[in-house]
Amino acid sequence: MSLQEKLEAVLSESSATFGVVVKHLETQEEAQINSNDYFQMASTFKVPILATLFRDVSEGRLSLEQRIRLTEDDLVPGSGVLQEFLPGAEVAVKDLAMLMIIVSDNLGTDKVLELVGTERVEAFMKELGLAHISIRNSCWELLSIGGGLGGEKKGLEGFHKLKQKFQTSGIDADSVIFQPIPENNVATPADMGKLLELIATGQLVSQEACDSILDIMKRQQLRNRIPYLLPDKTIIACKSGTIGSVVNDVGIVYLPEGKGAFTIAAFSHGNHSTKEGERMIARLTLTAYEHFAHSEE
């Protein structure tokens, strides 16, 4: 069976809608499913932000050593640890970026996004030829709109109000944020896959910048999707994302015995549970891993 057929067979067992692109970087063998459809990125949008940050650092616009003071006005609920810090903590830009990726820190993400500029992230994607990666909302905006509190002001009061909303009613499944349109934080699996390929092959900004991005992504601590079913020592650089029924993960998987590496961008919506989506992404990744690892030389 071809890789395409194998992935389609796995997905036939899911009632959710998936968009998947898998590509072996050395042989260029590729499989695509709904690859040109828009999907809500959820926290995978932090990869384009990270890419833009290192572009700005390489141009001297920002410094990774610069320290940013966090206040109550920066609080964002959801994933991460910085919301638990006492107000007044000063965190280096590199540490904000690290936490943004490895524990998907929403507060850290929004601080990095403030530094690089939302519009500049999308503009950089367009410069790279990735016209179908669209970023319009910060984590705060995404969560507040999705929670039915769009326009709620950031700060301690808004933070507690939004946290309470999530505890009682959660994300509105009919929210505008889930519409597959460029006015949201959306991407096609094809363009996200291309961004991963640029990073993996050292073609984004510089080899040094790519090495730094990969170093951060390889430290990922949320490992229940792309990495979950792979052999324990497999090297993986990835970033997951979840909001409502959206369950995503994107990354680069390094194969053993000189077999190269492959990119995978897996987006989905309509999952009955987060675990259901996670298991499907793990199975898709394992299918690709075994296909490439066992292919003939």
PDB file of all heavy atoms in Angstrom, residues 225-238:
ATOM      1  N   ARG A 225       0.601  13.259  21.246  1.00  0.00           N
ATOM      2  CA  ARG A 225       0.072  13.191  19.874  1.00  0.00           C
ATOM      3  C   ARG A 225       1.132  12.634  18.924  1.00  0.00           C
ATOM      4  O   ARG A 225       1.310  11.429  18.835  1.00  0.00           O
ATOM      5  CB  ARG A 225      -0.443  14.571  19.449  1.00  0.00           C
ATOM      6  CG  ARG A 225      -1.583  15.000  20.360  1.00  0.00           C
ATOM      7  CD  ARG A 225      -2.150  16.355  20.125  1.00  0.00           C
ATOM      8  NE  ARG A 225      -2.979  16.696  21.265  1.00  0.00           N
ATOM      9  CZ  ARG A 225      -3.665  17.795  21.404  1.00  0.00           C
ATOM     10  NH1 ARG A 225      -3.629  18.724  20.459  1.00  0.00           N
ATOM     11  NH2 ARG A 225      -4.398  18.017  22.487  1.00  0.00           N
ATOM     12  N   ILE A 226       1.848  13.493  18.215  1.00  0.00           N
ATOM     13  CA  ILE A 226       2.878  12.996  17.284  1.00  0.00           C
ATOM     14  C   ILE A 226       3.843  12.026  17.971  1.00  0.00           C
ATOM     15  O   ILE A 226       4.121  10.956  17.436  1.00  0.00           O
ATOM     16  CB  ILE A 226       3.627  14.177  16.628  1.00  0.00           C
ATOM     17  CG1 ILE A 226       2.727  14.856  15.575  1.00  0.00           C
ATOM     18  CG2 ILE A 226       4.928  13.709  15.984  1.00  0.00           C
ATOM     19  CD1 ILE A 226       3.317  16.111  14.963  1.00  0.00           C
ATOM     20  N   PRO A 227       4.365  12.327  19.157  1.00  0.00           N
ATOM     21  CA  PRO A 227       5.371  11.424  19.745  1.00  0.00           C
ATOM     22  C   PRO A 227       4.802  10.156  20.385  1.00  0.00           C
ATOM     23  O   PRO A 227       5.563   9.217  20.640  1.00  0.00           O
ATOM     24  CB  PRO A 227       6.019  12.292  20.840  1.00  0.00           C
ATOM     25  CG  PRO A 227       5.591  13.695  20.561  1.00  0.00           C
ATOM     26  CD  PRO A 227       4.255  13.576  19.915  1.00  0.00           C
ATOM     27  N   TYR A 228       3.513  10.098  20.665  1.00  0.00           N
ATOM     28  CA  TYR A 228       2.970   9.157  21.642  1.00  0.00           C
ATOM     29  C   TYR A 228       3.267   7.684  21.355  1.00  0.00           C
ATOM     30  O   TYR A 228       3.629   6.921  22.253  1.00  0.00           O
ATOM     31  CB  TYR A 228       1.465   9.364  21.793  1.00  0.00           C
ATOM     32  CG  TYR A 228       0.872   8.578  22.937  1.00  0.00           C
ATOM     33  CD1 TYR A 228       1.221   8.872  24.254  1.00  0.00           C
ATOM     34  CD2 TYR A 228      -0.010   7.531  22.704  1.00  0.00           C
ATOM     35  CE1 TYR A 228       0.689   8.149  25.312  1.00  0.00           C
ATOM     36  CE2 TYR A 228      -0.535   6.798  23.757  1.00  0.00           C
ATOM     37  CZ  TYR A 228      -0.188   7.118  25.054  1.00  0.00           C
ATOM     38  OH  TYR A 228      -0.702   6.386  26.097  1.00  0.00           O
ATOM     39  N   LEU A 229       3.123   7.255  20.119  1.00  0.00           N
ATOM     40  CA  LEU A 229       3.295   5.843  19.785  1.00  0.00           C
ATOM     41  C   LEU A 229       4.666   5.516  19.196  1.00  0.00           C
ATOM     42  O   LEU A 229       4.947   4.349  18.892  1.00  0.00           O
ATOM     43  CB  LEU A 229       2.201   5.399  18.797  1.00  0.00           C
ATOM     44  CG  LEU A 229       0.769   5.391  19.346  1.00  0.00           C
ATOM     45  CD1 LEU A 229      -0.217   5.041  18.233  1.00  0.00           C
ATOM     46  CD2 LEU A 229       0.622   4.439  20.521  1.00  0.00           C
ATOM     47  N   LEU A 230       5.510   6.520  19.057  1.00  0.00           N
ATOM     48  CA  LEU A 230       6.822   6.299  18.450  1.00  0.00           C
ATOM     49  C   LEU A 230       7.806   5.733  19.471  1.00  0.00           C
ATOM     50  O   LEU A 230       7.622   5.887  20.676  1.00  0.00           O
ATOM     51  CB  LEU A 230       7.353   7.613  17.866  1.00  0.00           C
ATOM     52  CG  LEU A 230       6.488   8.269  16.785  1.00  0.00           C
ATOM     53  CD1 LEU A 230       7.161   9.535  16.270  1.00  0.00           C
ATOM     54  CD2 LEU A 230       6.204   7.308  15.633  1.00  0.00           C
ATOM     55  N   PRO A 231       8.868   5.067  19.003  1.00  0.00           N
ATOM     56  CA  PRO A 231       9.886   4.560  19.924  1.00  0.00           C
ATOM     57  C   PRO A 231      10.395   5.661  20.850  1.00  0.00           C
ATOM     58  O   PRO A 231      10.523   6.823  20.445  1.00  0.00           O
ATOM     59  CB  PRO A 231      10.987   4.060  18.988  1.00  0.00           C
ATOM     60  CG  PRO A 231      10.257   3.694  17.731  1.00  0.00           C
ATOM     61  CD  PRO A 231       9.157   4.705  17.597  1.00  0.00           C
ATOM     62  N   ASP A 232      10.702   5.301  22.091  1.00  0.00           N
ATOM     63  CA  ASP A 232      11.007   6.277  23.134  1.00  0.00           C
ATOM     64  C   ASP A 232      12.130   7.246  22.788  1.00  0.00           C
ATOM     65  O   ASP A 232      12.088   8.403  23.186  1.00  0.00           O
ATOM     66  CB  ASP A 232      11.351   5.558  24.440  1.00  0.00           C
ATOM     67  CG  ASP A 232      10.130   4.916  25.077  1.00  0.00           C
ATOM     68  OD1 ASP A 232       9.009   5.286  24.701  1.00  0.00           O
ATOM     69  OD2 ASP A 232      10.312   4.039  25.935  1.00  0.00           O
ATOM     70  N   LYS A 233      13.134   6.791  22.071  1.00  0.00           N
ATOM     71  CA  LYS A 233      14.294   7.640  21.810  1.00  0.00           C
ATOM     72  C   LYS A 233      14.188   8.428  20.503  1.00  0.00           C
ATOM     73  O   LYS A 233      15.145   9.086  20.088  1.00  0.00           O
ATOM     74  CB  LYS A 233      15.564   6.789  21.809  1.00  0.00           C
ATOM     75  CG  LYS A 233      15.888   6.207  23.185  1.00  0.00           C
ATOM     76  CD  LYS A 233      17.205   5.454  23.187  1.00  0.00           C
ATOM     77  CE  LYS A 233      17.516   4.908  24.582  1.00  0.00           C
ATOM     78  NZ  LYS A 233      18.807   4.172  24.592  1.00  0.00           N
ATOM     79  N   THR A 234      13.025   8.380  19.872  1.00  0.00           N
ATOM     80  CA  THR A 234      12.837   9.114  18.630  1.00  0.00           C
ATOM     81  C   THR A 234      12.970  10.618  18.866  1.00  0.00           C
ATOM     82  O   THR A 234      12.388  11.161  19.810  1.00  0.00           O
ATOM     83  CB  THR A 234      11.449   8.824  18.027  1.00  0.00           C
ATOM     84  OG1 THR A 234      11.283   7.421  17.885  1.00  0.00           O
ATOM     85  CG2 THR A 234      11.283   9.500  16.673  1.00  0.00           C
ATOM     86  N   ILE A 235      13.729  11.290  18.029  1.00  0.00           N
ATOM     87  CA  ILE A 235      13.873  12.750  18.115  1.00  0.00           C
ATOM     88  C   ILE A 235      12.723  13.385  17.347  1.00  0.00           C
ATOM     89  O   ILE A 235      12.495  13.080  16.176  1.00  0.00           O
ATOM     90  CB  ILE A 235      15.221  13.205  17.546  1.00  0.00           C
ATOM     91  CG1 ILE A 235      16.366  12.607  18.373  1.00  0.00           C
ATOM     92  CG2 ILE A 235      15.315  14.730  17.543  1.00  0.00           C
ATOM     93  CD1 ILE A 235      17.734  12.849  17.784  1.00  0.00           C
ATOM     94  N   ILE A 236      12.007  14.269  18.025  1.00  0.00           N
ATOM     95  CA  ILE A 236      10.820  14.889  17.444  1.00  0.00           C
ATOM     96  C   ILE A 236      10.808  16.367  17.804  1.00  0.00           C
ATOM     97  O   ILE A 236      11.052  16.735  18.963  1.00  0.00           O
ATOM     98  CB  ILE A 236       9.534  14.236  17.985  1.00  0.00           C
ATOM     99  CG1 ILE A 236       9.533  12.725  17.733  1.00  0.00           C
ATOM    100  CG2 ILE A 236       8.298  14.868  17.357  1.00  0.00           C
ATOM    101  CD1 ILE A 236       8.817  11.939  18.790  1.00  0.00           C
ATOM    102  N   ALA A 237      10.533  17.221  16.838  1.00  0.00           N
ATOM    103  CA  ALA A 237      10.340  18.655  17.082  1.00  0.00           C
ATOM    104  C   ALA A 237       8.889  18.958  16.721  1.00  0.00           C
ATOM    105  O   ALA A 237       8.515  18.830  15.550  1.00  0.00           O
ATOM    106  CB  ALA A 237      11.288  19.478  16.217  1.00  0.00           C
ATOM    107  N   CYS A 238       8.076  19.330  17.701  1.00  0.00           N
ATOM    108  CA  CYS A 238       6.647  19.454  17.392  1.00  0.00           C
ATOM    109  C   CYS A 238       5.967  20.529  18.229  1.00  0.00           C
ATOM    110  O   CYS A 238       6.533  21.061  19.177  1.00  0.00           O
ATOM    111  CB  CYS A 238       5.947  18.105  17.564  1.00  0.00           C
ATOM    112  SG  CYS A 238       6.032  17.428  19.240  1.00  0.00           S
TER     113      CYS A 238
END
